[in-house]
Amino acid sequence: MLKFRFLKAGGALLPGVVLAASVCLQAHAARPMITDDANIVDSQSCQLESWVKTSQTSLERWAVPGCNLAWDTEFSLGGNAQNTATDGASQFWLFQAKKRWKKLAPDSWGLSTTLGRMVERPGWGQRLASDVAVPTASFDTYLNVPITWAVGSDRFVHLNLGWIHHHRLQISHPTWGLGGEYGLTPRTFAIGEVFGETGMPSKTQMGLRYWVTPQKLQLDTTYGQRLRGGSEDRWVSIGLRWLSDPLY
C-alpha cells in the first residue's frame, strides 16, 4: 500500500505469493504488483483484492481480503481456484501477517516484514489421474522484507528480500524483487518489476493501475513473462481492489 495524494491501498504477496503455483515466489503484494511495498492498509480499515490471471496453459481466480485492526499489522486470508493444462483443477490458500515498522512518507523510506504460508490442495481430478499418491495438501512458508523509497508523492522504488521454504520438497531458497511505480496522472500509475527465487527462472511484469474512485475503488491490469521463455510463459491479469472506511 502506498498512500499520499493518490493511494490508500494495502499490500502484503514476496515469495507471493502472487502468487499461485506459477508465481509462488513472492508474498501477497498490493495489486497489481508481485514485489511488495512497505505500507499497509489504513488503521482500523480493510480491503478486498480480487483478480483473474490467465496464460496459454492456466486460469487463476483470486480473492484476498485483509484488515489492519491492531498493532499496525495487516492480516490477510484468501485463496484461489485455478485450472492448468497439465494438472487440472486445484486450489491455493494463503494466510499472512504484515507488520509495518517505519511508515512511508514523501521523500523518505518505509520498512515492513511479512510472514505467511501458502497451501496448495490438488483437485480430485488431479489425484485420480496421477499414477502415484498425490498429497492432499502441500505447504510453502515465506518471510519477506519490503523496503520502499518515495520520490515526491507519485514515484516509488520497492526492494524485497526474502526466504521461502517448500515443505514437501524440504528445500529453502532466497527470494527477491525490484519494482517501481510512476504517476502518469493523479489517478493513473504505471508499474514495472522483476522478481524471482534462487534456482528458478526470474520473471518480469508491467502494467497500469487506475483509481475509479480515489482512495476507494481501483482497477488494474498487467502483462508478464519469464525473462527467458516462450509464449506459454506469458500471462495477463485484470484486478479490482476495494478499500473500506475506518470500521470504528
Side-chain angles (χ1 to χ4, degrees), residues 14 26 33-35 158 160 176-180 192-196 202-205 227:
L14 185 96
Q26 302 339 90
M33 300 188 73
I34 304 300
T35 306
H158 312 298
N160 286 191
W176 60 273
L178 179 64
E193 60 183 328
V194 291
F195 53 92
S202 300
K203 300 181 180 182
T204 183
Q205 183 174 238
L227 289 179

Side-chain angles (χ1 to χ4, degrees), residues 12-30 33-36 51 60 62 64 76 78-79 92-96 114 116-119 140-142 144 160 164 175 195 197:
L13 254 174
L14 185 96
V17 141
V18 299
L19 293 214
S22 59
V23 191
C24 191
L25 307 176
Q26 302 339 90
H28 172 64
M33 300 188 73
I34 304 300
T35 306
D36 203 3
W51 66 96
E60 304 173 20
W62 282 89
V64 181
S76 299
F92 283 80
W93 297 91
L94 72 89
F95 172 77
Q96 67 177 29
T114 300
R117 170 167 282 192
M118 176 82 79
V119 181
D140 292 339
T141 301
Y142 56 85
N144 186 46
N160 286 191
I164 185 168
T175 59
F195 53 92
E197 174 183 341

Side-chain angles (χ1 to χ4, degrees), residues 38-110:
N39 265 353
I40 60 176
V41 70
D42 284 350
S43 177
Q44 303 174 1
S45 300
C46 294
Q47 68 170 359
L48 173 63
E49 294 178 301
S50 61
W51 66 96
V52 175
K53 175 173 172 261
T54 183
S55 69
Q56 287 191 359
T57 59
S58 67
L59 174 66
E60 304 173 20
R61 300 169 294 274
W62 282 89
V64 181
C67 294
N68 173 14
L69 302 180
W71 311 303
D72 209 23
T73 301
E74 179 181 305
F75 295 93
S76 299
L77 175 65
N80 88 341
Q82 71 178 50
N83 291 275
T84 68
T86 55
D87 296 329
S90 61
Q91 294 180 334
F92 283 80
W93 297 91
L94 72 89
F95 172 77
Q96 67 177 29
K98 180 179 178 183
K99 169 65 178 178
R100 179 170 60 189
W101 303 103
K102 185 179 188 301
K103 188 173 183 178
L104 185 65
D107 296 311
S108 185
W109 62 281

Side-chain angles (χ1 to χ4, degrees), residues 1 23 41 44 50 52 97 124 132 149 155-156 177 187 193 204 208 214-216 218 224-225 231 234 242 247:
M1 168 199 135
V23 191
V41 70
Q44 303 174 1
S50 61
V52 175
W124 284 107
V132 297
W149 291 269
R155 286 165 289 173
F156 306 91
R187 293 193 182 195
E193 60 183 328
T204 183
L208 295 171
Q215 316 302 320
K216 286 293 182 184
Q218 172 194 293
Q225 64 178 42
S231 60
R234 301 168 185 168
W242 171 81
L247 301 180

Side-chain angles (χ1 to χ4, degrees), residues 94-170:
L94 72 89
F95 172 77
Q96 67 177 29
K98 180 179 178 183
K99 169 65 178 178
R100 179 170 60 189
W101 303 103
K102 185 179 188 301
K103 188 173 183 178
L104 185 65
D107 296 311
S108 185
W109 62 281
L111 174 68
S112 297
T113 54
T114 300
L115 180 65
R117 170 167 282 192
M118 176 82 79
V119 181
E120 177 190 5
R121 295 187 179 276
W124 284 107
Q126 182 178 345
R127 298 179 200 173
L128 293 174
S130 177
D131 295 331
V132 297
V134 176
T136 56
S138 60
F139 305 89
D140 292 339
T141 301
Y142 56 85
L143 172 70
N144 186 46
V145 180
I147 307 170
T148 296
W149 291 269
V151 182
S153 62
D154 63 353
R155 286 165 289 173
F156 306 91
V157 176
H158 312 298
L159 173 65
N160 286 191
L161 298 173
W163 165 92
I164 185 168
H165 179 68
H166 303 286
H167 291 262
R168 187 166 66 181
L169 300 176
Q170 289 299 302

